[in-house]
Amino acid sequence: MKEIKVNIPENSKTVTVKIDGENIITEFEPKEKEWNPQDGDFVTDELGGTVAIYADTNFVGGIVTYAGYLGNNLTTVRKSGWGMTMSYRPATEEEKRQLIDRLAKEGLRWNAEEKKLEPLPRWRAEKYGDYYSIYSNGCVIIEKEEYCEFDTIRYNLGNYFKTKEAAERVAEQIRDIFKNSKAE
């Protein structure tokens, strides 16, 4: 009996040895590369129901995230409880887009450089562009942005709207507050 020694590469999952007459054929199937999520990676669980931004793994192997969602529930605080890190995989581009869109609806964005969630910058009209404001009588008026003191005061106060409809919604809320006020 002939003894043949075969060196198996470390990165091999399986080795097949075939003897074809006088020839010995070895085939190596590489191991799947083990994935270890990094701080800030977008991840999803194996079922594809949870999409999150990975922060860490806790002492029992549970995933800790900066933000994530499951169904309609968006969580934007550093959180554990989405399951075990080992049951996650890298998120697809579509899954990443879904989480980014959900964050945007909440007025947030992911800052990958600083590894944190931050508010989206608020819209402000370009110079001489139009914006809407609520006048002291509760009516919505259109204004021209001149970057003057009054424009900046309205902007900083939040009395500054891109659309008339958005301003009208807030004006209605303000009118309701005044109507129901018990102030003397």
Side-chain angles (χ1 to χ4, degrees):
M1 174 188 256
K2 239 184 192 179
E3 189 175 300
I4 301 169
K5 192 173 188 177
V6 177
N7 291 326
I8 302 171
E10 280 184 36
N11 65 345
S12 292
K13 179 177 167 184
T14 61
V15 177
T16 306
V17 178
K18 299 177 184 175
I19 300 175
D20 181 18
E22 292 291 316
N23 298 318
I24 299 171
I25 302 165
T26 55
E27 296 173 354
F28 302 98
E29 183 181 330
K31 288 181 185 174
E32 291 179 20
K33 189 174 182 181
E34 189 174 312
W35 176 70
N36 291 311
Q38 300 299 307
D39 188 18
D41 282 353
F42 282 72
V43 297
T44 189
D45 66 350
E46 291 174 348
L47 301 175
T50 301
V51 179
I53 302 170
Y54 176 83
D56 201 1
T57 298
N58 66 22
F59 67 98
V60 294
I63 192 165
V64 179
T65 63
Y66 292 101
Y69 72 85
L70 174 60
N72 291 326
N73 300 322
L74 177 68
T75 299
T76 57
V77 294
R78 214 169 142 106
K79 174 176 175 40
S80 297
W82 297 100
M84 304 304 279
T85 299
M86 64 186 221
S87 68
Y88 279 76
R89 61 169 170 76
T92 65
E93 289 303 315
E94 176 60 26
E95 290 163 338
K96 287 179 190 178
R97 173 63 32 219
Q98 289 172 358
L99 180 52
I100 289 168
D101 290 348
R102 285 180 185 229
L103 289 170
K105 284 182 186 176
E106 299 295 320
L108 297 168
R109 70 176 176 189
W110 173 243
N111 181 331
E113 279 185 22
E114 296 182 28
K115 305 285 193 265
K116 67 179 186 177
L117 294 171
E118 56 190 22
L120 283 171
R122 286 181 44 219
W123 172 84
R124 189 157 184 180
E126 292 184 17
K127 191 157 187 160
Y128 306 118
D130 292 339
Y131 72 93
Y132 295 88
S133 182
I134 303 167
Y135 198 63
S136 60
N137 65 2
C139 294
V140 172
I141 57 174
I142 192 167
E143 301 277 0
K144 287 276 182 219
E145 175 62 81
E146 296 177 7
Y147 290 94
C148 68
E149 181 181 2
F150 294 112
D151 294 329
T152 301
I153 289 169
R154 288 185 197 105
Y155 180 81
N156 290 338
L157 181 63
N159 187 9
Y160 193 103
F161 303 92
K162 189 173 186 175
T163 66
K164 185 175 183 178
E165 295 76 22
E168 287 290 353
R169 285 192 299 273
V170 173
E172 184 61 37
Q173 293 171 358
I174 292 169
R175 289 190 289 268
D176 286 345
I177 290 169
F178 286 143
K179 186 173 25 174
N180 297 319
S181 172
K182 306 291 185 219
E184 296 178 24

